[in-house]
Amino acid sequence: MENQANLNIYKASRTIKRSENTLYNALRSIYEDSIFVGEISLLWPELPLLANLRCGLWYSQKFHSTCYFKSTDGHTNNWSFNTSRLNLHVALLAGQKGGCMIVDSTRKGKRFPDSMSKTIPIWTCVLNRAIWNYRMRFGLTGTPKENESNDSTDCGNTINEDSYSWDCSLHLPLWVSNTERTLIEERLDGWTKDLEVSGADIASIALSLKKPLRPLWISQKTVIWLNEVPDCDSWDFTPVMLVSTSSPSSNFQQRTTSEFSWRYIAGAGDDEESWARGLSPNLFWKHAYDLISSGPDMCNKKVADIVEKDRVYRAQRGENAPQISIKPSKSSASSGHFPAQEQLDLELLCKNIDEKFYDSNSISWLGETNLAVGATQLAKDASGVDCVLSCDLETNSLCFKEPEAHLNLSIVSSKFDRSSLLRNLPSAVNFAKNNLSKGKRLLVCCSSGEDISVCVCLAILMSLFDDRGHFDEGRFLNETRITKLELRRRLVFICQFAVNARPSRGNVKQVFNYLCGGNVATTS
């Protein structure tokens, strides 16, 4: 009886939570939190606003770019500096603009997600140390500063220190314990070495950053005197402002307007597959006023109409437009899109500082390799492309004079099939070898241009190019023992040009297994 009672209480609590976590409550909460983001961005309008994917992307319609810092890399006893998520384009942008703002949120009743409490502070410290080491090798800096006191930096404070020194210390917020700080500091040297041997272009970041990176934390409880907002140039560091949108008082708060009553949800943008019903941040902001003013009763119908009209519009243009299906169970829903997993967001060189880093409307040529990566919808209009390798489920009709100039492989994410990519890589590499050996320029594409196509390009680069990026038809691979370090170096190379790349761990693992198996495609 006791177990039955506990089960009933659990079911009741889950039912209450589902009833509160409605689509309208989520969208209205996002809209209210976005007002706070807008107010903070106006205090430092010169700093670019970045969304930490994927949750952060919901909270503004005016993001300059995106980044991907995972909270799991900051979880206690699981701290990590992951070279698959270097986010070096963030450091480059901060150096060019004098700082940046990163927006994220959390559902857990905390002021800040672990991505902001620990992952990004670790990232800034490791980068500062790598830049310091680079400058030391070339005699470009003075004395480093380390072991400063634990600090949760207030945006109103300015510290007057030697402008020629370079801060290599770890800056964490006050709520991180000294024990945890010590354990993280013990790992910093190893993480710095990992970065230095990854093949990342630290030189470009070192030349861009005039002052070391340093995180600042801003939430809805932060007090900022509007008549004393400091100028970023007055600080002796490059600020990385971490803006947490959530109100930490409670996960659910009843709120009432003149028209509707609704419940505020902290971190409502998180886990969008469970509530968004196919709505994307971009679609939401195109129709934000209509959705918010529609009220709780009409919101679901409004969203369904918007999503379907967008799907039809994209289908008419020949773009990837899957039918959105809503699960009728337990008032939760699926977006119908493959969930993005781990992002690899790296530096982009030679970009004008006034251009957006995140550009989903163009393909990315990978240096001088004659390889490009991008979304399938861009393949028809891509210039300079001689042949296309498509990794979509649906067959795409592309017009080429030669039939062998186009290959369609139905590859799905590792989330749905753990060996789909592995099974298709021999055909993909063989197709690339046949065309690249003739000097043709090859575009590898998938529905997003961010995951499967990136991993196929990685397999092609590892299989058919040497460590200097020269096409050798597989000789380097046959003579070399492939290591994960070499794989990471090639990923870094790819993402110097494709900064929106987000290869999932499962797909990268399949590439590594393929290479270790010696399955180099050969032609007759």
Side-chain angles (χ1 to χ4, degrees):
M1 287 295 293
E2 183 178 351
N3 291 337
Q4 184 66 31
N6 290 338
L7 183 61
N8 291 338
I9 292 173
Y10 172 77
K11 285 184 176 180
S13 64
R14 294 288 295 174
T15 301
I16 293 172
K17 185 176 181 180
R18 285 196 299 268
S19 66
E20 293 173 335
N21 195 19
T22 65
L23 179 58
Y24 183 80
N25 286 345
L27 295 179
R28 186 63 185 258
S29 301
I30 289 170
Y31 184 80
E32 296 293 322
D33 286 340
S34 72
I35 297 174
F36 167 71
V37 174
E39 291 172 345
I40 295 300
S41 64
L42 288 177
L43 296 180
W44 292 278
E46 70 277 11
L47 298 185
L49 194 67
L50 282 72
N52 193 32
L53 296 174
R54 289 177 298 158
C55 179
L57 197 58
W58 286 92
Y59 290 93
S60 178
Q61 56 183 323
K62 297 180 179 179
F63 284 114
H64 179 285
S65 181
T66 62
C67 57
Y68 193 53
F69 294 96
K70 289 198 71 176
S71 286
T72 52
D73 291 338
H75 287 176
T76 303
N77 296 322
N78 192 48
W79 313 286
S80 174
F81 180 85
N82 198 312
T83 53
S84 294
R85 293 183 288 274
L86 286 177
N87 290 290
L88 293 186
H89 70 286
V90 178
L92 187 63
L93 181 61
Q96 292 172 336
K97 298 290 191 177
C100 66
M101 294 184 183
I102 299 177
V103 176
D104 203 353
S105 186
T106 179
R107 280 180 179 267
K108 298 182 179 180
K110 302 183 293 187
R111 290 177 65 188
F112 294 87
D114 283 342
S115 60
M116 290 184 165
S117 295
K118 284 167 280 189
T119 304
I120 295 178
I122 288 171
W123 174 81
T124 58
C125 182
V126 171
L127 278 187
N128 286 338
R129 288 173 177 240
I131 292 170
W132 160 255
N133 290 341
Y134 171 83
R135 293 189 170 194
M136 279 293 292
R137 286 195 293 271
F138 292 95
L140 300 176
T141 190
T143 306
K145 299 180 294 182
E146 295 194 42
N147 301 322
E148 291 188 351
S149 60
N150 195 31
D151 69 305
S152 177
T153 307
D154 186 350
C155 292
N157 292 340
T158 301
I159 304 173
N160 294 319
E161 297 169 334
D162 184 0
S163 61
Y164 293 98
S165 60
W166 190 263
D167 189 356
C168 293
S169 58
L170 176 66
H171 294 275
L172 294 171
L174 289 172
W175 54 86
V176 177
S177 68
N178 288 331
T179 300
E180 192 168 4
R181 161 186 279 273
T182 300
L183 292 172
I184 293 174
E185 287 178 333
E186 291 174 354
R187 294 163 168 79
L188 290 174
D189 288 340
W191 289 332
T192 304
K193 291 178 182 177
D194 290 342
L195 173 59
E196 291 173 337
V197 301
S198 70
D201 188 355
I202 299 172
S204 297
I205 309 300
L207 295 174
S208 175
L209 282 170
K210 307 306 179 186
K211 297 179 285 188
L213 297 166
R214 186 164 175 175
L216 308 176
W217 294 268
I218 302 176
S219 73
Q220 294 200 32
K221 285 195 171 182
T222 302
V223 177
I224 301 176
W225 299 103
L226 297 181
N227 61 337
E228 297 180 4
V229 176
D231 187 348
C232 292
D233 292 336
S234 66
W235 289 322
D236 64 342
F237 55 85
T238 302
V240 179
M241 298 189 180
L242 308 179
V243 182
S244 178
T245 67
S246 302
S247 174
S249 301
S250 173
N251 282 343
F252 296 96
Q253 302 171 13
Q254 188 70 34
R255 299 188 181 184
T256 304
T257 66
S258 58
E259 297 177 295
F260 311 113
S261 177
W262 57 283
R263 282 188 173 269
Y264 171 79
I265 305 173
D270 194 20
D271 190 23
E272 63 190 55
E273 284 87 3
S274 68
W275 60 267
R277 295 175 174 257
L279 191 70
S280 66
N282 185 45
L283 273 180
F284 167 63
W285 285 108
K286 284 182 179 179
H287 305 276
Y289 178 78
D290 288 341
L291 289 171
I292 297 303
S293 61
S294 67
D297 296 336
M298 296 297 297
C299 183
N300 285 16
K301 185 178 185 304
K302 279 271 188 182
V303 168
D305 291 343
I306 290 170
V307 170
E308 179 60 17
K309 287 179 181 178
D310 179 70
R311 187 192 70 81
V312 172
Y313 172 75
R314 287 186 288 115
Q316 291 173 343
R317 298 181 62 190
E319 300 178 8
N320 184 48
Q323 182 75 42
I324 306 299
S325 59
I326 306 299
K327 294 182 180 179
S329 62
K330 298 184 180 180
S331 73
S332 65
S334 169
S335 69
H337 296 301
F338 293 161
Q341 295 181 19
E342 296 189 3
Q343 178 192 13
L344 181 63
D345 239 350
L346 297 162
E347 63 187 316
L348 178 63
L349 305 179
C350 304
K351 270 277 193 179
N352 185 286
I353 62 175
D354 292 326
E355 294 181 8
K356 288 184 180 291
F357 280 78
Y358 184 78
D359 185 3
S360 59
N361 296 317
S362 63
I363 62 174
S364 302
W365 289 100
L366 308 182
E368 300 178 356
T369 62
N370 280 347
L371 267 176
V373 63
T376 305
Q377 67 191 60
L378 306 174
K380 290 191 296 184
D381 301 321
S383 61
V385 173
D386 301 316
C387 46
V388 173
L389 171 56
S390 175
C391 307
D392 272 341
L393 284 173
E394 300 179 5
T395 302
N396 299 282
S397 56
L398 298 173
C399 298
F400 287 97
K401 295 180 180 179
E402 303 175 1
E404 60 270 19
H406 178 223
L407 175 65
N408 193 95
L409 298 175
S410 298
I411 305 175
V412 299
S413 167
S414 60
K415 180 179 177 68
F416 302 99
D417 186 339
R418 294 183 179 181
S419 59
S420 176
L421 177 62
L422 181 61
R423 290 194 302 270
N424 285 279
L425 280 179
S427 299
V429 173
N430 189 58
F431 177 79
K433 185 175 182 179
N434 288 336
N435 286 280
L436 293 174
S437 62
K438 300 173 184 176
K440 294 185 178 181
R441 292 162 65 83
L442 169 64
L443 169 63
V444 181
C445 58
C446 64
S447 58
S448 67
E450 300 173 354
D451 184 4
I452 294 175
S453 56
V454 171
C455 290
V456 172
C457 279
L458 176 62
I460 293 172
L461 284 175
M462 294 291 295
S463 301
L464 303 176
F465 290 78
D466 62 20
D467 57 346
R468 294 173 295 176
H470 298 149
F471 180 74
D472 69 353
E473 298 189 346
R475 289 189 295 274
F476 177 79
L477 179 65
N478 291 329
E479 299 170 358
T480 308
R481 179 177 176 271
I482 297 301
T483 65
K484 291 183 178 180
L485 175 60
E486 183 61 30
L487 197 72
R488 286 196 294 268
R489 285 175 174 169
R490 301 294 177 102
L491 277 174
V492 170
F493 170 78
I494 291 174
C495 294
Q496 288 179 357
F497 307 97
V499 298
N500 58 328
R502 293 191 285 156
S504 66
R505 180 177 296 166
N507 285 335
V508 173
K509 184 177 180 180
Q510 290 181 70
V511 174
F512 184 72
N513 290 340
Y514 163 76
L515 296 169
C516 290
N519 296 317
V520 181
T522 58
T523 57
S524 56

